[in-house]
Amino acid sequence: MTACWTSAMRALVAATLLLATATLMLVAVNTARAAGALAVGKCGAYGQAYDFSNPKAASRSALGKCEGKSCRIVITTRHACAALAVDGTHPCGGHGWGKGSRLGVAENAALRSCYKDGGHNCMIRTFFCDAKG
Protein backbone atom coordinates (compact mmCIF):
# COMPACT_ATOMS: atom_id res chain seq x y z
CA MET A 1 0.00 0.00 0.00
CA THR A 2 2.85 2.40 0.73
CA ALA A 3 4.50 1.70 -2.64
CA CYS A 4 1.19 2.32 -4.39
CA TRP A 5 0.68 5.57 -2.46
CA THR A 6 4.23 6.72 -3.32
CA SER A 7 3.73 6.02 -7.04
CA ALA A 8 0.45 7.94 -7.03
CA MET A 9 2.09 10.90 -5.28
CA ARG A 10 4.95 10.92 -7.79
CA ALA A 11 2.49 10.90 -10.68
CA LEU A 12 0.51 13.74 -9.08
CA VAL A 13 3.63 15.84 -8.54
CA ALA A 14 4.81 15.21 -12.12
CA ALA A 15 1.41 16.16 -13.53
CA THR A 16 1.33 19.34 -11.43
CA LEU A 17 4.80 20.37 -12.59
CA LEU A 18 3.88 19.70 -16.20
CA LEU A 19 0.74 21.83 -15.87
CA ALA A 20 2.67 24.65 -14.19
CA THR A 21 5.30 24.61 -16.96
CA ALA A 22 2.65 24.71 -19.68
CA THR A 23 0.89 27.62 -17.95
CA LEU A 24 4.12 29.62 -17.68
CA MET A 25 4.86 29.04 -21.36
CA LEU A 26 1.40 30.24 -22.35
CA VAL A 27 1.74 33.38 -20.22
CA ALA A 28 5.15 34.11 -21.76
CA VAL A 29 3.75 33.80 -25.30
CA ASN A 30 0.74 36.02 -24.54
CA THR A 31 2.86 38.64 -22.81
CA ALA A 32 5.23 38.83 -25.76
CA ARG A 33 2.33 39.37 -28.17
CA ALA A 34 0.56 42.23 -26.46
CA ALA A 35 0.48 45.20 -28.84
CA GLY A 36 -2.45 46.54 -30.82
CA ALA A 37 -3.51 49.44 -33.04
CA LEU A 38 -6.69 51.09 -34.28
CA ALA A 39 -6.84 52.94 -37.61
CA VAL A 40 -9.78 55.19 -38.46
CA GLY A 41 -10.88 56.70 -41.78
CA LYS A 42 -13.92 58.55 -43.14
CA CYS A 43 -17.52 57.36 -42.79
CA GLY A 44 -16.91 54.61 -40.27
CA ALA A 45 -13.95 52.99 -42.03
CA TYR A 46 -11.57 51.30 -39.62
CA GLY A 47 -8.88 48.68 -39.28
CA GLN A 48 -7.73 46.98 -36.14
CA ALA A 49 -4.90 44.69 -35.15
CA TYR A 50 -4.09 43.15 -31.79
CA ASP A 51 -1.80 40.61 -30.17
CA PHE A 52 1.17 41.70 -32.27
CA SER A 53 4.75 41.67 -31.04
CA ASN A 54 5.08 45.47 -31.19
CA PRO A 55 2.96 48.58 -31.89
CA LYS A 56 4.67 49.27 -35.24
CA ALA A 57 3.69 45.87 -36.64
CA ALA A 58 0.16 46.27 -35.27
CA SER A 59 -0.11 49.73 -36.87
CA ARG A 60 0.92 48.41 -40.29
CA SER A 61 -1.67 45.66 -40.06
CA ALA A 62 -4.45 48.01 -38.89
CA LEU A 63 -3.75 50.48 -41.72
CA GLY A 64 -3.81 47.60 -44.20
CA LYS A 65 -7.31 46.63 -43.05
CA CYS A 66 -8.73 50.16 -43.14
CA GLU A 67 -10.41 51.09 -46.44
CA GLY A 68 -9.71 54.51 -47.87
CA LYS A 69 -6.83 56.93 -48.23
CA SER A 70 -7.89 58.97 -45.21
CA CYS A 71 -7.09 56.20 -42.71
CA ARG A 72 -4.70 57.01 -39.91
CA ILE A 73 -3.62 55.37 -36.67
CA VAL A 74 -5.48 56.90 -33.73
CA ILE A 75 -4.56 54.46 -30.96
CA THR A 76 -1.77 52.03 -30.22
CA THR A 77 -2.01 49.73 -27.22
CA ARG A 78 0.22 47.60 -25.06
CA HIS A 79 -1.60 45.32 -22.64
CA ALA A 80 -4.79 47.39 -23.05
CA CYS A 81 -8.16 47.71 -24.81
CA ALA A 82 -9.42 50.08 -27.51
CA ALA A 83 -12.85 50.89 -28.96
CA LEU A 84 -14.33 52.89 -31.82
CA ALA A 85 -17.78 54.47 -31.66
CA VAL A 86 -19.73 55.96 -34.59
CA ASP A 87 -23.09 57.67 -34.94
CA GLY A 88 -25.36 54.81 -35.98
CA THR A 89 -27.74 57.00 -37.97
CA HIS A 90 -24.99 59.09 -39.65
CA PRO A 91 -21.80 57.02 -40.03
CA CYS A 92 -20.06 59.94 -41.76
CA GLY A 93 -20.89 62.16 -38.79
CA GLY A 94 -19.67 62.03 -35.22
CA HIS A 95 -17.21 59.37 -34.18
CA GLY A 96 -14.72 58.78 -31.40
CA TRP A 97 -12.30 56.30 -29.96
CA GLY A 98 -11.03 55.36 -26.55
CA LYS A 99 -8.34 53.35 -24.84
CA GLY A 100 -8.23 51.82 -21.38
CA SER A 101 -6.94 49.08 -19.14
CA ARG A 102 -10.31 47.32 -19.35
CA LEU A 103 -12.84 46.99 -22.18
CA GLY A 104 -15.57 48.97 -20.40
CA VAL A 105 -13.21 51.91 -19.86
CA ALA A 106 -12.26 51.97 -23.56
CA GLU A 107 -15.89 51.72 -24.72
CA ASN A 108 -17.06 54.49 -22.38
CA ALA A 109 -14.25 56.77 -23.58
CA ALA A 110 -15.14 56.04 -27.23
CA LEU A 111 -18.83 56.81 -26.66
CA ARG A 112 -18.04 60.07 -24.81
CA SER A 113 -15.69 61.08 -27.61
CA CYS A 114 -18.33 60.31 -30.25
CA TYR A 115 -20.99 62.43 -28.54
CA LYS A 116 -18.46 65.23 -28.04
CA ASP A 117 -17.76 65.08 -31.80
CA GLY A 118 -21.45 65.74 -32.54
CA GLY A 119 -22.83 62.20 -32.70
CA HIS A 120 -26.48 61.76 -31.64
CA ASN A 121 -26.91 57.97 -31.73
CA CYS A 122 -23.40 56.76 -30.93
CA MET A 123 -22.71 53.04 -30.77
CA ILE A 124 -19.62 50.89 -30.52
CA ARG A 125 -18.48 49.90 -34.02
CA THR A 126 -15.53 47.75 -32.98
CA PHE A 127 -13.35 46.94 -29.99
CA PHE A 128 -10.41 44.78 -28.99
CA CYS A 129 -8.19 43.92 -26.06
CA ASP A 130 -4.68 42.66 -26.62
CA ALA A 131 -3.04 40.05 -24.44
CA LYS A 132 -2.70 41.18 -20.85
CA GLY A 133 -0.09 38.62 -19.82
Side-chain angles (χ1 to χ4, degrees):
M1 181 119 170
T2 304
C4 183
W5 177 254
T6 303
S7 295
M9 286 301 290
R10 284 184 185 158
L12 180 62
V13 168
T16 302
L17 289 174
L18 184 60
L19 180 63
T21 302
T23 301
L24 286 174
M25 289 174 66
L26 181 62
V27 167
V29 167
N30 280 341
T31 300
R33 301 182 63 80
L38 176 64
V40 174
K42 290 183 179 176
C43 297
Y46 73 92
Q48 66 185 27
Y50 53 91
D51 291 343
F52 276 74
S53 58
N54 61 64
K56 189 174 182 177
S59 295
R60 277 193 308 268
S61 179
L63 280 172
K65 295 174 184 174
C66 187
E67 294 183 17
K69 294 181 181 181
S70 65
C71 293
R72 63 187 172 97
I73 297 296
V74 294
I75 290 177
T76 59
T77 63
R78 230 182 204 327
H79 305 287
C81 300
L84 169 66
V86 297
D87 188 323
T89 53
H90 303 290
C92 294
H95 63 282
W97 50 86
K99 175 178 166 179
S101 60
R102 300 274 184 250
L103 180 57
V105 173
E107 289 177 329
N108 286 337
L111 289 168
R112 279 193 304 273
S113 179
C114 178
Y115 284 115
K116 190 174 182 177
D117 191 44
H120 296 290
N121 186 25
C122 294
M123 57 183 61
I124 299 297
R125 172 87 191 260
T126 190
F127 61 88
F128 68 87
C129 292
D130 54 30
K132 291 182 173 48

